[in-house]
């Protein structure tokens, strides 16, 4: 998982190998140097975590319950991007709408990230905005929405 997390992602949908950067504070050799002391903490944090390779709709159906927290980071809607083919696994506009409907019906806690663009801009949930940079190094505002179940338990979650 650590190796895969540090694999590069190109501007489009190409696999590029190990990631590279000109930033001396996040260069791969700096990151790898910090892993050995962090591995015990990472292993402890992931104890009891389930990582699945299934369609999101199936995972939500299978695991939804009052004590489940879903972090959902779907592909950005095509209308919100300059590059139309950014992801290996794309979603149509209808699939985004279906995801929203399914997330709105969840019993569990849902944290959803994306841009404040249709159809997510009408979600109606509480949210936080964060300034960030895109892969093309342009300014962007990432939004993290959270449903009522998260808000009711936020004192237990320490999200921000």
């Amino acid at each position: 998982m650590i190796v895969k997390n540090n694999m590069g992602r190109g501007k489009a949908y190409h696999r590029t190998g190990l990631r590279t950067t000109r930033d001396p504070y996040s260069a791969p050799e700096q990151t790898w140097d910090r892993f050995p002391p962090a591995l015990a903490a990472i292993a402890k944090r992931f104890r009891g975590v389930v990582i699945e390779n299934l369609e999101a709709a199936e995972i939500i159906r299978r695991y939804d319950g009052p004590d489940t927290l879903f972090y959902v980071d779907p592909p950005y809607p095509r209308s919100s991007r300059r590059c139309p083919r950014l992801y290996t696994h794309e979603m149509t506009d209808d699939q985004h709408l279906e995801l929203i409907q399914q997330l709105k019906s969840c019993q569990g806690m849902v944290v959803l990230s994306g841009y404040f663009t249709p159809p997510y801009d009408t979600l109606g949930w509480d949210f936080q905005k964060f300034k960030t940079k895109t892969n093309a190094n342009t300014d962007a505002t990432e939004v993290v929405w959270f449903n009522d179940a998260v808000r009711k338990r936020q004192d237990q979650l320490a999200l921000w």
Side-chain angles (χ1 to χ4, degrees):
M1 180 173 82
I2 291 171
V3 172
K4 185 162 179 113
N5 186 51
N6 280 277
M7 298 300 283
R9 293 168 289 286
K11 286 184 181 179
Y13 52 91
H14 308 329
R15 295 178 186 263
T16 61
L18 290 176
R19 72 180 170 85
T20 59
T21 180
R22 293 185 190 137
D23 180 357
Y25 300 103
S26 66
E29 60 275 13
Q30 298 295 325
T31 305
W32 286 107
D33 192 41
R34 291 189 296 266
F35 278 137
L39 286 178
I42 292 169
K44 182 178 179 183
R45 173 59 188 93
F46 274 89
R47 197 169 292 137
V49 170
V50 176
I51 298 174
E52 295 273 11
N53 184 17
L54 297 169
E55 292 289 326
E58 176 58 27
I59 288 175
I60 294 166
R61 273 191 293 280
R62 187 179 293 186
Y63 293 107
D64 189 25
D67 292 326
T68 303
L69 182 130
F70 294 107
Y71 172 68
V72 183
D73 186 23
Y76 297 120
R78 289 181 188 192
S79 61
S80 72
R81 315 184 233 140
R82 289 185 210 147
C83 180
R85 291 187 56 194
L86 186 64
Y87 300 102
T88 302
H89 303 284
E90 289 283 359
M91 289 176 66
T92 65
D93 290 344
D94 286 342
Q95 288 172 318
H96 281 285
L97 292 171
E98 290 168 13
L99 176 64
I100 287 172
Q101 288 310 115
Q102 189 176 24
L103 294 175
K104 283 184 164 185
S105 70
C106 279
Q107 300 174 47
M109 297 166 280
V110 178
V111 177
L112 171 72
S113 61
Y115 290 148
F116 203 77
T117 59
Y120 298 96
D121 58 347
T122 60
L123 192 57
W125 291 353
D126 291 338
F127 60 88
Q128 294 280 331
K129 291 184 177 182
F130 300 91
K131 297 289 183 192
T132 187
K133 295 274 189 186
T134 67
N135 285 345
N137 202 32
T138 59
D139 292 331
T141 302
E142 187 83 19
V143 180
V144 178
W145 289 270
F146 45 100
N147 68 355
D148 287 340
V150 172
R151 192 174 39 79
K152 290 174 185 172
R153 294 179 64 178
Q154 68 185 4
D155 58 321
Q156 300 168 347
L157 299 175
L159 294 174
W160 352 96

